[in-house]
Amino acid sequence: MNRLIYESRQDVHKITLDDLPGGPEAFEVATKFCYGIAVDLTAANISGLRCAAEYLEMTEDLEEGNLIFKTEAFLSYVVLSSWRDSILVLKSCEKLSPWAENLQIVRRCSESIAWKACANPKGIRWAYTGRPLKVSSPKWNEMKDSSPSRNQPVPPDWWFEDVSILRIDHFVRVITAIKVKGMRFELIGAAIMHYATKWLPGLIKEGSVFGDEMSCSSNSTGSGSSSWKGALHMIVAATKDDPPTVQAKDQRMIIESLISIIPPQKDSVSCSFLLRLLRMASMLKVAPALVTELEKRVGMQFEQATLADLLIPSYNKGETMYDVDLVQRLLEHFLVQEQTESSSPSSQSCSDKHMYEGTPRGSNTNAKMRVARLVDSYLTEVSRDRNLSLTKFQVLAEALPESARACDDGLYRAIDSYLKAHPTLTEHERKRLCRVMDCQKLSIDACMHAAQNERLPLRVVVQVLFSEQVKISNALANSSLKDTEETLYQPMIPNRKTLLEATPQSFQEGWAAAKKDINTLKFELESVKAKYLELQNDMESLQRQFDKMSKPKQTSAWSSGWKKLSKLTKMTTMENQDNIGSQLPVVAEQNRKTPRRWRNSIS
């Protein structure tokens, strides 16, 4: 104070300390301390008082036991040994940047919280907030503490709720310290998801991510206009008076910070959480490098995704309703990850920060089949969009290898839906669309539907009919083989009465149900046989008509008959001239008895 008056070089009746950390409250406590008035040091005022003492230069050079020494002792021996006081002090440091950062208050509190969070839950003897029934930010004066008891064990996630009230930069510091201590990555991921659901309301409910108030706005005490200028680009807790643009900027910073601290191991967070985070990142225009990193994380566990999470809207005007390009990139990351795991099954190097560690997949084939069903469902959903181009549909459908689909019924439904929504496609475009489907992989029901589908090209319908005929032939061959096997094993089965008497009641009920199913299958098989015979008859009739139409024109039977008649007449005339005298009565008698042969042949 003396130096400030001296440097002003004029009569000073008023000194303004605008940049004093801690504000008027800290200055009042420091003034009372100077005049020997007893002051109470608490977790609520210790951080501000420590920064104010540093600003006012209340060091040991002037007097022993000055305010800096007193506050440092209280921080070291009282605050850092208490779980709740460490949280409170770290929360109060939000308004003291950069003083609290330079005085190592934030670092020491983060280290203390990390040590206690990594402690064995069985050894916890301090009070903690615990997980509430509903997602809301607690106020410290309204919380009901959960004390550990002998009857109720401490859950592993006991520290989630207390840590989630911190500002994002302090939360990042705590999580980073916890990682260094060696906590399990599943717990770290669960803590990140708990924090995200509290601070990002749009992550767990549909609609706009901007509300009238952030879910944690009750935690920002004092003026909401206080700025924070630190090494990390994090957020200031928003108040209800902030405009939506400010909230969007804050949420973008939260998302970018959370992406950077997600553990690299697979399954540390759920795929659904990653996709919802990716949806908000696309909407809020997060940094492209972080979006790419998040897409790779989704590709690692893409087989766990659901259709609802994949339907991410496209936020670029004039394009498709859903972001099909994003799903295409996710699928490419999944295939690259699958190829990497199959080519190098050994554990990956930890030195490369872009290569993720994680538990290996149980079966690559099963994962690809699940992804294939997911992609087929996604194509069926997005095919109703009239702005979806044929090229995008075809590229996404052909991205997976042929071995990923054991049955193409889902792909056929997507193609049929696309043809319904795009009736103006040309014949060439429809043929090109149907090339992505293998007719031999269609079920009998799908074949019957496709045979009657007028939207499909004629060539595709013929291929479907041929594949259906082959399947029916195979089914009939298998059924006849089963019938012969049943006749071979028939003498070994005793009569029904003795079999039922020696069988328990539960087995008898199962036998009755199985017999009913067998009768149903027999009836369906008979109907399939009838349909097969009908199709075979139709095919034979079509074949006869085709053969008749394809034969070249030949001479008719009438013309050949007249030629034979003319030859026969000439021969008869010559014989009559040779034997006119001797055989005339005999010939006349024969002509009266029987008519001429050539007239019979003509008739």
Side-chain angles (χ1 to χ4, degrees):
M1 297 285 291
N2 188 18
R3 187 173 64 251
L4 289 175
I5 294 173
Y6 178 77
E7 290 176 354
S8 63
R9 298 188 180 280
Q10 58 182 354
D11 295 334
V12 178
H13 302 284
K14 181 180 179 181
I15 297 176
T16 304
L17 303 176
D18 293 329
D19 54 349
L20 176 68
E25 295 83 5
F27 183 77
E28 182 182 359
V29 176
T31 306
K32 288 181 179 180
F33 178 82
C34 290
Y35 284 93
I37 303 174
V39 295
D40 293 332
L41 300 181
T42 63
N45 64 5
I46 188 62
S47 58
L49 197 57
R50 173 67 182 87
C51 295
E54 188 73 22
Y55 178 88
L56 296 174
E57 301 177 7
M58 302 176 71
T59 63
E60 296 296 297
D61 297 337
L62 300 177
E63 184 180 355
E64 291 185 0
N66 210 338
L67 189 58
I68 291 179
F69 175 79
K70 297 284 186 182
T71 53
E72 274 293 333
F74 187 83
L75 276 172
S76 300
Y77 296 105
V78 178
V79 172
L80 298 182
S81 62
S82 170
W83 167 260
R84 181 173 177 177
D85 290 346
S86 299
I87 296 287
L88 277 171
V89 171
L90 189 55
K91 181 69 179 173
S92 64
C93 290
E94 295 176 0
K95 305 185 297 293
L96 299 174
S97 299
W99 286 92
E101 191 73 36
N102 297 333
L103 294 175
Q104 305 296 321
I105 300 177
V106 174
R107 183 191 62 80
R108 287 183 288 174
C109 288
S110 301
E111 292 285 340
S112 174
I113 294 170
W115 275 113
K116 293 176 175 61
C118 294
N120 190 348
K122 296 180 180 179
I124 292 177
R125 296 293 181 265
W126 53 81
Y128 59 90
T129 304
R131 297 287 294 273
L133 295 178
K134 61 180 181 178
V135 179
S136 61
S137 298
K139 294 182 180 179
W140 285 100
N141 56 356
E142 297 178 0
M143 287 189 306
K144 295 182 179 179
D145 292 339
S146 300
S147 299
S149 61
R150 296 179 180 179
N151 298 330
Q152 185 177 2
V154 178
D157 58 353
W158 62 270
W159 53 277
F160 287 5
E161 185 64 28
D162 290 340
V163 172
S164 65
I165 72 165
L166 300 175
R167 198 174 64 182
I168 183 62
D169 58 319
H170 296 158
F171 179 77
V172 169
R173 294 290 292 270
V174 171
I175 294 297
T176 304
I178 288 176
K179 284 183 179 180
V180 174
K181 303 296 184 295
M183 179 173 281
R184 289 181 296 141
F185 63 87
E186 299 94 343
L187 277 178
I188 297 176
I192 292 173
M193 289 192 290
H194 181 78
Y195 187 90
T197 54
K198 176 172 289 194
W199 287 85
L200 300 173
L203 196 69
I204 55 177
K205 62 183 180 180
E206 297 295 329
S208 175
V209 298
F210 313 122
D212 296 333
E213 185 178 3
M214 292 276 290
S215 61
C216 295
S217 62
S218 60
N219 296 325
S220 61
T221 58
S223 175
S225 60
S226 60
S227 60
W228 175 75
K229 300 177 182 179
L232 300 174
H233 67 137
M234 301 303 175
I235 74 156
V236 179
T239 61
K240 62 182 180 180
D241 296 327
D242 293 334
T245 54
V246 175
Q247 289 192 6
K249 181 180 178 181
D250 295 344
Q251 292 192 1
R252 186 188 309 118
M253 292 180 180
I254 292 176
I255 292 173
E256 292 176 351
S257 302
L258 293 180
I259 294 173
S260 62
I261 62 173
I262 293 177
Q265 290 85 355
K266 180 192 170 186
D267 294 332
S268 58
V269 293
S270 65
C271 185
S272 178
F273 170 77
L274 291 174
L275 284 170
R276 285 179 290 170
L277 201 63
L278 185 59
R279 179 198 297 256
M280 292 193 67
S282 301
M283 179 176 58
L284 297 174
K285 308 297 182 184
V286 172
L290 292 174
V291 173
T292 303
E293 188 74 12
L294 191 56
E295 291 175 357
K296 291 181 180 179
R297 295 302 309 270
V298 176
M300 289 174 59
Q301 47 201 95
F302 193 52
E303 72 275 8
Q304 303 171 7
T306 60
L307 178 60
D309 294 329
L310 273 186
L311 295 176
I312 300 175
S314 177
Y315 297 102
N316 297 325
K317 296 182 180 179
E319 293 188 358
T320 56
M321 183 185 304
Y322 297 106
D323 198 345
V324 182
D325 295 333
L326 174 61
V327 178
Q328 176 69 27
R329 293 195 299 271
L330 297 179
L331 188 57
E332 290 174 357
H333 291 312
F334 167 77
L335 294 175
V336 169
Q337 184 70 20
E338 286 286 324
Q339 186 177 4
T340 303
E341 289 185 358
S342 60
S343 60
S344 59
S346 59
S347 60
Q348 300 176 4
S349 175
C350 299
S351 59
D352 190 357
K353 64 179 181 179
H354 295 291
M355 298 298 289
Y356 297 106
E357 298 175 353
T359 56
R361 283 186 178 85
S363 174
N364 293 339
T365 304
N366 293 336
K368 288 182 181 179
M369 292 178 68
R370 287 195 295 271
V371 171
R373 290 193 294 267
L374 178 64
V375 171
D376 292 345
S377 301
Y378 180 79
L379 286 173
T380 304
E381 189 69 26
V382 302
S383 61
R384 302 184 182 97
D385 186 7
R386 295 184 179 273
N387 294 327
L388 180 63
S389 64
L390 177 60
T391 302
K392 286 187 176 182
F393 184 95
Q394 188 176 7
V395 169
L396 186 57
E398 294 178 344
L400 287 168
E402 295 182 358
S403 59
R405 291 185 177 93
C407 180
D408 278 7
D409 286 6
L411 196 55
Y412 168 69
R413 282 192 293 269
I415 291 173
D416 186 43
S417 178
Y418 189 87
L419 291 174
K420 285 182 183 177
H422 301 79
T424 57
L425 291 178
T426 62
E427 184 72 14
H428 174 70
E429 290 175 338
R430 287 189 294 155
K431 289 181 180 179
R432 176 184 161 194
L433 175 64
C434 293
R435 285 197 197 104
V436 303
M437 174 182 62
D438 188 359
C439 297
Q440 296 181 359
K441 290 185 178 181
L442 295 178
S443 63
I444 295 180
D445 294 336
C447 288
M448 294 179 65
H449 185 276
Q452 302 173 2
N453 195 343
E454 298 178 353
R455 291 179 290 272
L456 296 177
L458 183 60
R459 183 181 182 86
V460 177
V461 174
V462 173
Q463 293 177 355
V464 168
L465 288 174
F466 178 75
S467 63
E468 184 180 7
Q469 185 179 6
V470 171
K471 289 178 182 178
I472 293 176
S473 302
N474 295 334
L476 291 176
N478 293 332
S479 64
S480 61
L481 182 61
K482 290 180 180 179
D483 291 340
T484 56
E485 291 178 356
E486 289 179 359
T487 55
L488 289 175
Y489 288 102
Q490 188 66 28
M492 299 178 61
I493 301 176
N495 56 14
R496 185 174 182 274
K497 184 176 180 181
T498 57
L499 183 63
L500 291 178
E501 288 176 355
T503 306
Q505 183 66 25
S506 59
F507 288 170
Q508 293 181 18
E509 294 176 358
W511 171 258
K515 185 177 180 182
K516 185 178 180 180
D517 294 340
I518 290 172
N519 292 333
T520 304
L521 291 175
K522 284 184 177 180
F523 176 75
E524 293 179 355
L525 185 60
E526 291 296 332
S527 62
V528 170
K529 286 181 180 180
K531 290 179 181 178
Y532 170 70
L533 293 176
E534 184 180 353
L535 288 173
Q536 194 172 18
N537 293 332
D538 294 342
M539 187 175 179
E540 290 176 356
S541 62
L542 289 173
Q543 186 68 31
R544 286 195 298 268
Q545 293 180 8
F546 179 76
D547 294 340
K548 190 180 295 184
M549 294 173 61
S550 61
K551 286 182 180 179
K553 289 187 178 181
Q554 299 177 355
T555 56
S556 63
W558 289 99
S559 59
S560 60
W562 283 112
K563 290 180 180 179
K564 292 180 181 179
L565 180 61
S566 61
K567 291 181 181 179
L568 183 62
T569 306
K570 291 180 180 179
M571 292 173 63
T572 307
T573 306
M574 292 174 64
E575 291 177 358
N576 290 337
Q577 290 177 357
D578 293 338
N579 304 321
I580 191 65
S582 61
Q583 298 179 358
L584 184 59
V586 180
V587 173
E589 185 68 19
Q590 290 179 355
N591 288 336
R592 282 196 301 268
K593 289 181 180 180
T594 58
R596 295 182 179 178
R597 292 183 180 177
W598 60 270
R599 295 188 65 88
N600 285 334
S601 64
I602 291 175
S603 63

